[in-house]
Amino acid sequence: MGQYVARRAFLSVFLLLGVSVLVFSIMHMAPGDPVMMVAGLEAPPEVVEAIRKEWGFDQPIHVQYFRWLRRAVVLDFGISLTTRERVSFMILSRVPNTLKLNLAAYALALCIAIPVGVYSALRQYSLFDHVGTVAALLGVSMPGFWLGLMLMIVFALKLHILPVFGMGTWKHYVLPAFTLGAAQAAGLMRMTRSSVLEALHQDYVRTARAKGLAERVVIYKHVLKNAAIPIVTMMGFRFAYILSGSFIVEHIFAWPGIGRLAINSLYSRDYFVVQAVVLMTATMIVIANLTVDIIYCFLDPRIRYD
Amino acid sequence: MAKGTDMATEETEYLEQSWALLVWRRFRRHRLALVGAAVILLLYAMAIFAPYLAPYPPNDVNPARRLELPSLAHPFGLDELGRDLLSRVMYGARISLSIGFVAAGISLVVGVFLGALAGYYGGVVDNIIMRTVDVLMSIPAFLLIIAIVAAVGPNMLNVMVVIGLTHWSGYARVTRGTVLSLRSQEFVEAARAIGGGSLRVILRHILPNCLAPVIVLATLNVAGAILIETSLSFLGFGVQPPTASWGTILNTGRQYMRNAPHIALFPGLAITVTVLAFNLLGDGLRDALDPKLKL
């Protein structure tokens, strides 16, 4: 058990190193001098030289990488070139907003997806199942930012019952959380439906029915418990996706989170901020996945042996 | 001897035929997938023949009638410069459909190649490739893509290449799995025993067995690539105006949504219909090609 956790943790650290190499190289993918990208094209030569020295752009590339990594580990990502604030402060002060929105969206997605998924599986090929399947497909196919715009037009601009954008009261959560949650709900619903269907066709369910258990007991004790394992894993992995989708939703709803920060920084070519956001979200995703893995191995002891 | 080979080829031909027939029969039963396939064909026809089908030239401006709501002459209305939206949406199909197709093609080639390498050679090669897959899967793909595209320059070619190069992990996993499970099978050993080199064994004997999952993945992948491309263009990091693309039209729609909500409505509908069609086709293909497949 301990060994398994240790191995997984070690792999995660390794993974993060790989992520950091990729993130570091983004800066160097652009044609031309990275210093000019950082300093801006109109920067006076002495500023350019100062930045080159401070960030070690005059050093060989591997020296630059390790220097950057050493600072990144202690969350030192430098100073934003547009706002002159510390990058780590800019990010950390916005993380709670992103987490709040994502958790709201996720909770909404789960509240819709799990009951609908379970019910459609139990009533396979019924009208409810068909409507649910079509709705899920639509949810997966619709671009989130478009759904967001449409909801904004209808509920904020035409009906005036919800705020257009920003963050404040609970009403501000409704539209972005729904936009973000819709695609998640669709994916989770399909997952839930298929795992429940699979559990329904297992031998132990037939046995449970054969020995005369009430259908309610069969469903709750035998089907749903076993269907829960793949759903729990999926929930962890989905969290990574939801974080990914949150960038564009934060952008259109002007939500003061890290997604909006990242996109604004891309517009102003503030690459230190972009690098830091990618690295920090990747870290959150890796930690989320590690946590799921560990929970999973408590839930299902068979996992450890493969 | 000659007769024996004939019989063997005949038999494989027969088997292949019946497999294709079986797949087609199963696919035909899937009515929604048929609809998806038909819609995709129509969309491609619309994209290819856009210059003949579009009622107006897509870049003809008419400032006097800007932001006009849909009417009989202009079923989708006019945009902020008085350009016909229907024509622009039809031209936009060219961008999204070709980017989706090419990006998915790049992912397919890269993923299948690396997956086959990983599965066939194992060891260090396998480790390096599969850890790279893990790294790619733990970065929020969308942000990575915009950051790279913004760095290398937003244009159609870069968008295709960057989307393609960041979405091959699914193919690599599937191919590696199949190769691993087939590597030590007798027919592979036999092929190697009669002198087949690694490349020949991989291409002729192992890869055809990955066909089913790869086709399904590719179909769903086109849908995903179109969603990413439109998001990129929407944010201004994709295809640049004045070229008509669904994402850039939506971006304008966002600025004028108070007075002219139709500008945002129609390109979004086009994206939804397209992505939905590819998803339906993918689902149908999955059921038809291999009902046990889990993707």
Side-chain angles (χ1 to χ4, degrees), chain B:
Chain B
M1 181 69 202
K3 207 178 171 197
T5 354
D6 274 1
M7 271 176 69
T9 11
E10 242 172 55
E11 194 166 309
T12 36
E13 258 172 30
Y14 170 74
L15 278 176
E16 271 167 21
Q17 232 179 32
S18 62
W19 183 72
L21 207 66
L22 189 71
V23 168
W24 169 240
R25 279 205 192 118
R26 279 197 295 232
F27 183 71
R28 214 175 38 189
R29 272 206 313 254
H30 219 291
R31 247 176 292 156
L32 282 175
L34 282 179
V35 174
V39 170
I40 290 169
L41 284 179
L42 279 177
L43 283 166
Y44 270 98
M46 185 180 92
I48 292 168
F49 299 111
Y52 306 101
L53 294 174
Y56 304 91
N59 291 323
D60 264 15
V61 295
N62 187 356
R65 302 178 61 187
R66 61 196 296 267
L67 305 179
E68 209 175 272
L69 289 172
S71 59
L72 271 181
H74 300 276
F76 286 8
L78 298 167
D79 72 0
E80 87 284 9
L81 297 172
R83 295 172 293 195
D84 179 57
L85 256 185
L86 174 61
S87 311
R88 288 184 70 73
V89 168
M90 288 173 92
Y91 270 87
R94 303 183 126 196
I95 308 280
S96 290
L97 288 176
S98 43
I99 290 184
F101 199 73
V102 176
I106 295 175
S107 305
L108 187 150
V109 172
V110 174
V112 169
F113 176 73
L114 291 179
L117 278 188
Y120 196 78
Y121 291 107
V124 186
V125 180
D126 182 26
N127 252 317
I128 293 176
I129 295 174
M130 294 327 283
R131 292 298 82 77
T132 313
V133 166
D134 290 343
V135 168
L136 275 180
M137 296 192 74
S138 49
I139 298 186
F142 185 61
L143 190 57
L144 179 71
I145 292 172
I146 334 180
I148 298 178
V149 170
V152 294
N155 61 51
M156 201 165 153
L157 182 72
N158 285 343
V159 169
M160 292 195 267
V161 173
V162 174
I163 297 178
L165 290 183
T166 42
H167 282 82
W168 49 268
S169 34
Y171 300 98
R173 286 197 159 169
V174 164
T175 313
R176 174 179 175 268
T178 318
V179 173
L180 267 183
S181 66
L182 295 182
R183 195 170 54 171
S184 47
Q185 297 261 312
E186 274 154 13
F187 73 90
V188 174
E189 259 170 55
R192 221 173 302 161
I194 57 168
S198 294
L199 189 68
R200 187 184 164 81
V201 170
I202 293 180
L203 286 180
R204 296 273 309 174
H205 299 276
I206 297 184
L207 283 190
N209 292 292
C210 313
L211 208 59
V214 165
I215 290 176
V216 177
L217 262 182
T219 318
L220 302 173
N221 196 197
V222 175
I226 291 177
L227 277 181
I228 295 173
E229 179 273 321
T230 48
S231 315
L232 280 177
S233 304
F234 173 71
L235 289 175
F237 293 108
V239 180
Q240 298 298 314
T243 311
S245 91
W246 293 342
T248 47
I249 304 173
L250 260 169
N251 190 18
T252 344
R254 179 178 177 231
Q255 292 156 37
Y256 294 93
M257 65 185 175
R258 220 171 266 274
N259 312 321
H262 62 277
I263 302 180
L265 175 68
F266 292 110
L269 273 180
I271 300 171
T272 308
V273 168
T274 311
V275 175
L276 185 64
F278 276 103
N279 280 336
L280 287 173
L281 179 66
D283 273 6
L285 283 175
R286 168 175 34 211
D287 293 348
L289 287 166
D290 185 355
K292 286 177 308 216
L293 211 60
K294 274 195 183 159
L295 286 175

Side-chain angles (χ1 to χ4, degrees), chain A residues 113-118 121 187-197 227 231:
Chain A
I114 304 248
V116 175
V118 170
L188 274 169
M189 196 218 106
R190 276 155 67 103
M191 260 287 306
T192 310
R193 179 178 177 272
S194 64
S195 7
V196 174
L197 274 179
I231 298 174

